Amino acid sequence: MARVAIVTGGTRGIGAAISKALKADGFKVAAVYRGDDAAAAAFKAETGVAVHKWDVSDFAACAAGVKAVEAELGAVDTLVNNAGITRDTMLHKMTFEQWKAVIDVNLNSLFNMTRQVIEGMRERGFGRVISISSINGQKGQMGQANYSASKAGDIGFTKAVALENARKGVTANVICPGYIETDMVKAVPKDVLEKSILPLIPVGRLGQPEEIARCVAFLASDAAGFITGATLSANGGQYLA
Ligand code: CAA
């Protein structure tokens, strides 16, 4: 029977590539998005992947949303916590709203979403929780006290969930992409990207969303059952953790 996957932030950027890769591997996929109806509709038309709209920073919305997906596709075996935002600015200029928005979407969503599916995964004796952190959660990044804190939190969350569920057939792993060619990275000031980021990437280019999607597809597969609590860096050599 086909496995069922939810991919948050699954209609654009890295998330869209993940949704497509899992579908190609035979999963029934639900891609969750928050705001961009036009992008979601285009993604659905292009891929045939089911799209669902809710805010992953809202616990009650996650509970209702997961219930709706399960009614449509069946019990969720695979959760990809991919949704993420930036509100880059130096800490000495950062507002509480900028701090909170990033922590809510990038970190609290892991609780909000994983909590909905973890009991069922344990009961059925199989599950895959894959979260997308960042190189900047590993090494820190100027202008990203909020983002780096949230992404470091994703790594700690994953390690705890891995330990708690290892005996239940449920793995939890985290991927740390480097700078990937998405709208998020295109929003970095051009001179900063060219002068301060690209020269630090040993492979000499940005990554592609599909290169992260292949990591997710592997960790989601039955073949990856012995890998849990792992942090997989995919950053072109920019940071060797
Ligand atoms: N790496 C290295 N140096 C950086 C840098 C970075 N990522 N970001 C900024 N700097 C440097 C700038 O080159 C500049 O250096 P010089 O003074 O020598 O020219 C200095 O910091 C100050 O930068 P600004 O003049 O731009 O200062 P600002 O106050 O206007 O803005 C900033 C500061 C908000 C940090 C802005 O520079 C910025 O947005 N930088 C990009 C931050 C970044 O890398 N964000 C990652 C977004 S992509 C992402 O988050 C995905 C992921 O997981 C990797």
Coordinates of all heavy atoms in Angstrom, one line a residue, residues 136-216:
N136 N 22.7 27.4 8.7 CA 22.8 28.5 9.6 C 22.3 28.2 11.0 O 22.5 28.9 12.0 CB 22.0 29.7 9.0 CG 22.8 30.2 7.8 OD1 24.0 29.9 7.6 ND2 22.1 31.0 7.0
G137 N 21.6 27.0 11.2 CA 21.3 26.5 12.5 C 22.5 25.8 13.1 O 22.7 25.6 14.3
Q138 N 23.4 25.3 12.2 CA 24.7 24.7 12.7 C 25.8 25.7 13.0 O 26.5 25.5 14.0 CB 25.2 23.7 11.6 CG 24.3 22.6 11.2 CD 24.8 21.8 10.0 OE1 24.8 22.3 8.9 NE2 25.1 20.6 10.2
K139 N 25.9 26.7 12.2 CA 27.1 27.6 12.3 C 26.8 29.0 12.8 O 27.7 29.7 13.1 CB 27.9 27.6 11.0 CG 27.2 28.4 9.9 CD 28.2 28.7 8.7 CE 27.6 29.6 7.7 NZ 27.2 30.9 8.2
G140 N 25.4 29.3 12.8 CA 25.1 30.7 13.1 C 25.2 31.6 11.9 O 26.0 31.2 10.9
Q141 N 24.5 32.7 11.8 CA 24.6 33.5 10.7 C 24.3 35.0 11.1 O 23.3 35.2 11.7 CB 23.7 33.1 9.6 CG 23.6 34.0 8.4 CD 24.9 34.2 7.7 OE1 25.7 33.3 7.5 NE2 25.3 35.5 7.6
M142 N 25.1 35.9 10.7 CA 24.8 37.3 11.0 C 23.5 37.7 10.3 O 23.2 37.3 9.2 CB 25.9 38.3 10.6 CG 26.3 38.2 9.2 SD 27.9 39.1 8.9 CE 27.6 40.7 9.6
G143 N 22.7 38.4 11.0 CA 21.4 38.8 10.5 C 20.3 37.8 10.8 O 19.1 38.0 10.4
Q144 N 20.7 36.7 11.5 CA 19.7 35.6 11.6 C 19.7 35.0 13.0 O 19.6 33.8 13.2 CB 20.0 34.5 10.6 CG 19.8 34.9 9.2 CD 19.6 33.6 8.3 OE1 20.5 32.8 8.3 NE2 18.5 33.6 7.6
A145 N 19.7 35.9 14.0 CA 19.6 35.3 15.4 C 18.3 34.5 15.6 O 18.3 33.5 16.2 CB 19.6 36.5 16.4
N146 N 17.2 35.0 15.0 CA 15.9 34.3 15.1 C 16.0 33.0 14.3 O 15.7 31.9 14.8 CB 14.8 35.2 14.6 CG 15.1 35.9 13.3 OD1 16.1 35.7 12.6 ND2 14.2 36.8 12.9
Y147 N 16.4 33.1 13.1 CA 16.5 31.9 12.2 C 17.4 30.9 12.7 O 17.1 29.7 12.7 CB 16.8 32.4 10.8 CG 16.7 31.4 9.7 CD1 15.5 31.2 9.0 CD2 17.8 30.6 9.3 CE1 15.5 30.3 7.9 CE2 17.8 29.7 8.2 CZ 16.6 29.5 7.6 OH 16.5 28.6 6.5
S148 N 18.6 31.3 13.0 CA 19.7 30.3 13.5 C 19.2 29.6 14.8 O 19.4 28.4 14.9 CB 21.0 31.1 13.8 OG 21.5 31.6 12.6
A149 N 18.5 30.4 15.7 CA 18.0 29.8 16.9 C 16.9 28.8 16.6 O 16.9 27.6 17.1 CB 17.5 30.9 17.8
S150 N 16.1 29.1 15.6 CA 15.0 28.2 15.3 C 15.5 26.9 14.7 O 15.1 25.8 14.9 CB 13.9 28.9 14.4 OG 14.5 29.1 13.1
K151 N 16.5 27.1 13.8 CA 17.0 25.9 13.0 C 17.9 25.0 13.9 O 18.0 23.8 13.7 CB 17.8 26.4 11.8 CG 16.8 27.1 10.8 CD 15.8 26.1 10.2 CE 15.0 26.7 9.1 NZ 14.1 25.7 8.5
A152 N 18.6 25.7 14.9 CA 19.3 24.9 15.9 C 18.3 24.1 16.7 O 18.6 22.9 17.1 CB 20.2 25.7 16.7
G153 N 17.2 24.7 17.0 CA 16.2 24.0 17.8 C 15.6 22.8 17.0 O 15.3 21.8 17.6
D154 N 15.5 22.9 15.7 CA 15.0 21.8 14.9 C 15.9 20.6 15.1 O 15.5 19.4 15.1 CB 15.0 22.2 13.4 CG 13.9 23.2 13.2 OD1 13.1 23.5 14.0 OD2 14.0 23.8 12.1
I155 N 17.2 20.8 15.2 CA 18.2 19.7 15.4 C 18.0 19.0 16.7 O 17.9 17.8 16.8 CB 19.6 20.2 15.2 CG1 19.8 20.8 13.7 CG2 20.7 19.1 15.4 CD1 21.1 21.5 13.5
G156 N 17.9 19.8 17.8 CA 17.7 19.2 19.1 C 16.4 18.5 19.2 O 16.3 17.4 19.8
F157 N 15.3 19.0 18.6 CA 14.0 18.4 18.6 C 14.1 17.0 17.9 O 13.7 16.0 18.5 CB 13.0 19.2 17.8 CG 11.7 18.6 17.6 CD1 10.6 18.8 18.5 CD2 11.4 17.9 16.4 CE1 9.4 18.2 18.3 CE2 10.2 17.3 16.2 CZ 9.2 17.5 17.1
T158 N 14.8 17.0 16.8 CA 15.0 15.7 16.1 C 15.7 14.6 16.9 O 15.3 13.5 16.9 CB 15.7 16.0 14.8 OG1 15.0 16.9 14.0 CG2 16.0 14.7 14.0
K159 N 16.7 15.0 17.6 CA 17.5 14.1 18.4 C 16.7 13.5 19.5 O 16.7 12.3 19.7 CB 18.8 14.7 18.9 CG 19.8 15.0 17.8 CD 21.0 15.7 18.3 CE 22.0 15.9 17.2 NZ 23.2 16.7 17.6
A160 N 15.9 14.3 20.1 CA 15.0 13.8 21.2 C 13.9 12.9 20.7 O 13.7 11.8 21.2 CB 14.4 15.0 21.9
V161 N 13.3 13.3 19.6 CA 12.2 12.4 19.0 C 12.8 11.1 18.5 O 12.2 10.0 18.6 CB 11.5 13.2 17.8 CG1 10.6 12.3 17.1 CG2 10.8 14.4 18.4
A162 N 14.0 11.1 18.0 CA 14.7 9.9 17.5 C 14.9 8.9 18.7 O 14.6 7.7 18.5 CB 16.0 10.2 16.9
L163 N 15.4 9.4 19.8 CA 15.6 8.6 20.9 C 14.3 8.0 21.5 O 14.2 6.8 21.8 CB 16.3 9.4 22.0 CG 17.8 9.8 21.7 CD1 18.3 10.7 22.8 CD2 18.6 8.5 21.6
E164 N 13.3 8.9 21.6 CA 12.0 8.4 22.1 C 11.3 7.3 21.3 O 10.5 6.5 21.8 CB 11.0 9.6 22.2 CG 11.4 10.6 23.3 CD 10.4 11.8 23.4 OE1 9.3 11.7 22.8 OE2 10.7 12.7 24.1
N165 N 11.6 7.3 20.0 CA 10.7 6.5 19.1 C 11.5 5.4 18.4 O 11.0 4.7 17.6 CB 10.0 7.4 18.1 CG 9.0 8.3 18.8 OD1 8.0 7.8 19.2 ND2 9.4 9.5 19.0
A166 N 12.8 5.2 18.8 CA 13.7 4.3 18.1 C 13.1 2.8 18.1 O 13.2 2.1 17.2 CB 15.1 4.3 18.6
R167 N 12.5 2.5 19.3 CA 12.0 1.1 19.5 C 10.7 0.9 18.8 O 10.1 -0.2 18.9 CB 11.9 0.8 21.0 CG 13.2 0.7 21.7 CD 14.0 -0.5 21.2 NE 15.3 -0.6 21.9 CZ 15.5 -1.3 23.0 NH1 14.6 -1.9 23.6 NH2 16.7 -1.3 23.5
K168 N 10.1 2.0 18.2 CA 8.8 1.9 17.6 C 8.8 1.9 16.1 O 7.7 2.1 15.5 CB 7.9 3.0 18.2 CG 7.7 3.0 19.7 CD 6.8 1.9 20.1 CE 6.5 1.9 21.6 NZ 5.6 0.8 22.0
G169 N 9.9 1.8 15.5 CA 10.0 1.8 14.1 C 9.9 3.2 13.4 O 9.7 3.3 12.2
V170 N 10.0 4.2 14.3 CA 9.8 5.6 13.8 C 11.2 6.2 13.9 O 11.8 6.3 14.9 CB 8.9 6.4 14.7 CG1 8.7 7.8 14.2 CG2 7.5 5.7 14.8
T171 N 11.7 6.7 12.7 CA 12.9 7.4 12.7 C 12.7 8.9 12.6 O 11.6 9.4 12.1 CB 13.8 7.0 11.5 OG1 13.2 7.4 10.3 CG2 14.1 5.5 11.5
A172 N 13.6 9.7 13.1 CA 13.6 11.2 13.0 C 14.9 11.6 12.6 O 15.9 11.3 13.2 CB 13.2 11.8 14.3
N173 N 15.0 12.4 11.5 CA 16.3 12.9 11.0 C 16.1 14.3 10.5 O 15.0 14.8 10.2 CB 16.7 12.0 9.8 CG 17.1 10.6 10.3 OD1 18.1 10.4 11.0 ND2 16.3 9.6 9.9
V174 N 17.2 15.0 10.5 CA 17.2 16.4 10.1 C 18.2 16.7 9.0 O 19.3 16.1 9.0 CB 17.4 17.3 11.3 CG1 18.8 17.1 12.0 CG2 17.2 18.8 11.0
I175 N 17.8 17.5 8.0 CA 18.7 17.8 6.9 C 19.0 19.3 7.0 O 18.2 20.1 7.3 CB 18.0 17.6 5.5 CG1 17.6 16.1 5.4 CG2 18.9 18.0 4.4 CD1 16.8 15.8 4.2
C176 N 20.3 19.6 6.9 CA 20.7 21.0 6.9 C 21.2 21.4 5.5 O 22.4 21.3 5.2 CB 21.9 21.1 7.9 SG 21.3 20.9 9.6
P177 N 20.3 22.0 4.8 CA 20.7 22.5 3.5 C 21.6 23.8 3.6 O 21.5 24.5 4.6 CB 19.4 22.9 2.8 CG 18.3 22.3 3.6 CD 18.9 22.2 5.0
G178 N 22.5 23.9 2.7 CA 23.2 25.2 2.6 C 22.4 26.2 1.8 O 21.2 26.2 1.9
Y179 N 23.1 27.0 1.0 CA 22.3 28.0 0.2 C 21.8 27.4 -1.1 O 22.6 27.0 -1.9 CB 23.2 29.2 -0.1 CG 23.4 30.1 1.2 CD1 24.1 29.7 2.3 CD2 22.7 31.3 1.3 CE1 24.2 30.5 3.4 CE2 22.8 32.1 2.4 CZ 23.6 31.7 3.5 OH 23.6 32.4 4.6
I180 N 20.5 27.3 -1.2 CA 19.8 26.6 -2.3 C 19.1 27.7 -3.1 O 18.6 28.7 -2.6 CB 18.8 25.6 -1.7 CG1 19.4 24.7 -0.7 CG2 18.1 24.8 -2.9 CD1 20.5 23.8 -1.2
E181 N 19.1 27.4 -4.4 CA 18.5 28.4 -5.3 C 17.0 28.5 -5.2 O 16.3 27.8 -5.9 CB 18.9 28.1 -6.8 CG 18.8 29.3 -7.7 CD 19.5 29.1 -9.0 OE1 20.3 28.1 -9.2 OE2 19.2 29.9 -9.9
T182 N 16.5 29.2 -4.3 CA 15.1 29.4 -4.0 C 14.8 30.9 -3.9 O 15.7 31.7 -3.7 CB 14.6 28.7 -2.7 OG1 15.3 29.3 -1.6 CG2 14.9 27.2 -2.8
D183 N 13.5 31.2 -3.7 CA 13.1 32.6 -3.5 C 13.7 33.1 -2.2 O 14.1 34.3 -2.1 CB 11.5 32.7 -3.4 CG 10.8 32.5 -4.7 OD1 11.5 32.5 -5.7 OD2 9.6 32.2 -4.7
M184 N 13.9 32.3 -1.2 CA 14.4 32.7 0.1 C 15.9 33.2 -0.1 O 16.2 34.3 0.4 CB 14.4 31.6 1.1 CG 14.8 32.0 2.5 SD 14.8 30.6 3.6 CE 13.1 30.6 4.2
V185 N 16.6 32.5 -0.9 CA 18.0 32.9 -1.1 C 18.1 34.1 -2.1 O 18.9 35.0 -1.9 CB 18.9 31.7 -1.5 CG1 20.3 32.1 -2.0 CG2 19.1 30.7 -0.3
K186 N 17.2 34.1 -3.0 CA 17.2 35.2 -4.0 C 16.9 36.5 -3.3 O 17.1 37.6 -3.8 CB 16.2 34.9 -5.1 CG 16.6 33.9 -6.1 CD 15.6 33.7 -7.2 CE 15.8 32.3 -7.9 NZ 14.6 31.7 -8.4
A187 N 16.2 36.4 -2.1 CA 15.9 37.7 -1.3 C 17.1 38.2 -0.6 O 17.1 39.4 -0.1 CB 14.8 37.4 -0.3
V188 N 18.2 37.5 -0.5 CA 19.5 38.0 0.1 C 20.0 39.1 -0.8 O 20.0 39.0 -2.0 CB 20.5 36.9 0.2 CG1 21.9 37.4 0.7 CG2 20.0 35.8 1.2
P189 N 20.4 40.3 -0.2 CA 21.0 41.3 -1.0 C 22.0 40.8 -2.0 O 22.9 40.0 -1.6 CB 21.6 42.3 0.0 CG 20.8 42.0 1.3 CD 20.4 40.6 1.2
K190 N 21.9 41.3 -3.3 CA 22.8 40.7 -4.3 C 24.3 40.8 -4.0 O 25.0 39.8 -4.2 CB 22.5 41.4 -5.7 CG 22.9 40.8 -6.9 CD 22.3 41.4 -8.1 CE 22.8 40.8 -9.4 NZ 24.2 41.2 -9.8
D191 N 24.7 42.0 -3.5 CA 26.1 42.1 -3.3 C 26.6 41.2 -2.1 O 27.7 40.7 -2.2 CB 26.4 43.6 -3.0 CG 25.7 44.1 -1.8 OD1 24.5 43.8 -1.6 OD2 26.2 44.9 -1.0
V192 N 25.7 41.0 -1.1 CA 26.1 40.1 0.0 C 26.2 38.7 -0.6 O 27.2 38.0 -0.3 CB 25.0 40.1 1.1 CG1 25.2 39.1 2.1 CG2 25.0 41.5 1.7
L193 N 25.2 38.3 -1.4 CA 25.3 36.9 -2.0 C 26.6 36.7 -2.8 O 27.3 35.7 -2.6 CB 24.0 36.7 -2.8 CG 23.8 35.3 -3.3 CD1 23.5 34.3 -2.1 CD2 22.6 35.2 -4.2
E194 N 26.9 37.7 -3.6 CA 28.0 37.5 -4.5 C 29.4 37.7 -3.8 O 30.3 36.9 -4.1 CB 27.9 38.5 -5.7 CG 26.9 38.0 -6.7 CD 26.6 39.1 -7.8 OE1 27.2 40.1 -7.8 OE2 25.7 38.8 -8.6
K195 N 29.4 38.6 -2.8 CA 30.7 38.9 -2.2 C 30.9 38.0 -0.9 O 32.1 37.6 -0.6 CB 30.8 40.4 -1.8 CG 31.2 41.2 -3.0 CD 31.6 42.6 -2.5 CE 30.9 43.7 -3.3 NZ 30.4 44.8 -2.5
S196 N 29.9 37.8 -0.2 CA 30.1 37.2 1.2 C 29.6 35.7 1.3 O 29.9 35.1 2.3 CB 29.4 38.0 2.2 OG 29.8 39.3 2.2
I197 N 28.8 35.3 0.3 CA 28.3 33.9 0.4 C 28.9 33.0 -0.6 O 29.5 32.0 -0.3 CB 26.8 33.9 0.5 CG1 26.3 34.7 1.7 CG2 26.2 32.5 0.4 CD1 24.8 34.9 1.8
L198 N 28.7 33.3 -1.9 CA 29.1 32.4 -3.0 C 30.6 32.0 -2.9 O 30.9 30.8 -3.1 CB 28.8 33.0 -4.4 CG 27.3 32.8 -4.8 CD1 27.0 33.6 -6.1 CD2 27.0 31.3 -5.1
P199 N 31.5 33.0 -2.6 CA 32.9 32.6 -2.5 C 33.2 31.6 -1.4 O 34.3 30.9 -1.4 CB 33.6 33.9 -2.2 CG 32.6 35.0 -2.6 CD 31.3 34.4 -2.4
L200 N 32.3 31.4 -0.4 CA 32.5 30.5 0.7 C 32.0 29.1 0.4 O 32.1 28.2 1.2 CB 31.8 31.0 2.0 CG 32.3 32.4 2.4 CD1 31.5 32.8 3.7 CD2 33.8 32.5 2.7
I201 N 31.4 28.9 -0.8 CA 30.9 27.6 -1.1 C 31.9 26.8 -2.0 O 32.0 27.1 -3.2 CB 29.5 27.7 -1.8 CG1 28.5 28.5 -1.0 CG2 28.9 26.3 -2.1 CD1 27.2 28.8 -1.7
P202 N 32.6 25.8 -1.4 CA 33.6 25.1 -2.2 C 33.2 24.6 -3.5 O 34.0 24.6 -4.5 CB 34.1 24.0 -1.2 CG 33.9 24.6 0.1 CD 32.6 25.4 0.0
V203 N 32.0 24.1 -3.7 CA 31.6 23.6 -5.0 C 31.3 24.7 -6.0 O 31.2 24.4 -7.2 CB 30.4 22.6 -5.0 CG1 30.6 21.4 -4.1 CG2 29.1 23.3 -4.6
G204 N 31.3 25.9 -5.5 CA 31.2 27.1 -6.4 C 29.9 27.4 -7.0 O 29.8 28.1 -8.0
R205 N 28.8 26.9 -6.4 CA 27.5 27.3 -6.9 C 26.5 27.1 -5.8 O 26.8 26.5 -4.7 CB 27.1 26.3 -8.0 CG 27.0 24.8 -7.6 CD 26.5 24.0 -8.7 NE 26.5 22.5 -8.4 CZ 25.5 21.9 -7.7 NH1 24.5 22.6 -7.2 NH2 25.6 20.6 -7.4
L206 N 25.3 27.6 -6.0 CA 24.1 27.4 -5.1 C 23.7 25.9 -5.3 O 23.9 25.4 -6.4 CB 23.0 28.3 -5.4 CG 23.3 29.8 -5.1 CD1 22.0 30.6 -5.6 CD2 23.6 30.1 -3.6
G207 N 23.0 25.4 -4.3 CA 22.4 24.0 -4.5 C 21.1 24.2 -5.2 O 20.5 25.2 -5.3
Q208 N 20.6 23.0 -5.6 CA 19.3 23.0 -6.3 C 18.3 22.3 -5.4 O 18.7 21.4 -4.7 CB 19.4 22.2 -7.6 CG 20.2 22.9 -8.7 CD 19.6 24.3 -9.0 OE1 18.4 24.5 -9.2 NE2 20.5 25.3 -9.0
P209 N 17.0 22.7 -5.4 CA 16.0 22.1 -4.5 C 16.0 20.6 -4.7 O 15.8 19.9 -3.7 CB 14.7 22.7 -5.0 CG 15.1 24.1 -5.6 CD 16.5 23.9 -6.2
E210 N 16.2 20.1 -5.9 CA 16.1 18.6 -6.1 C 17.2 17.9 -5.4 O 17.0 16.7 -5.0 CB 16.2 18.3 -7.6 CG 15.1 18.8 -8.5 CD 15.0 20.3 -8.6 OE1 16.0 21.0 -8.5 OE2 13.9 20.8 -8.9
E211 N 18.3 18.6 -5.1 CA 19.4 17.9 -4.4 C 19.0 17.7 -2.9 O 19.6 16.8 -2.3 CB 20.7 18.8 -4.5 CG 21.2 18.8 -6.0 CD 22.4 19.6 -6.2 OE1 22.3 20.8 -6.0 OE2 23.5 19.1 -6.6
I212 N 18.2 18.5 -2.4 CA 17.7 18.3 -1.0 C 16.5 17.3 -1.0 O 16.4 16.4 -0.2 CB 17.2 19.6 -0.4 CG1 18.3 20.7 -0.4 CG2 16.6 19.4 1.0 CD1 19.6 20.3 0.2
A213 N 15.7 17.3 -2.1 CA 14.6 16.4 -2.2 C 15.1 15.0 -2.2 O 14.5 14.1 -1.7 CB 13.8 16.7 -3.4
R214 N 16.2 14.7 -2.9 CA 16.7 13.3 -3.0 C 17.2 12.8 -1.6 O 17.1 11.7 -1.3 CB 17.9 13.2 -3.9 CG 17.6 13.4 -5.4 CD 16.3 12.7 -5.9 NE 16.2 11.3 -5.6 CZ 15.1 10.6 -5.7 NH1 14.0 11.2 -6.0 NH2 15.1 9.3 -5.4
C215 N 17.7 13.8 -0.8 CA 18.1 13.4 0.6 C 16.8 13.0 1.4 O 16.8 12.0 2.1 CB 18.7 14.6 1.3 SG 20.2 15.2 0.6
V216 N 15.7 13.7 1.2 CA 14.5 13.4 1.9 C 13.9 12.1 1.5 O 13.5 11.2 2.3 CB 13.4 14.5 1.7 CG1 12.1 14.1 2.3 CG2 13.9 15.9 2.3

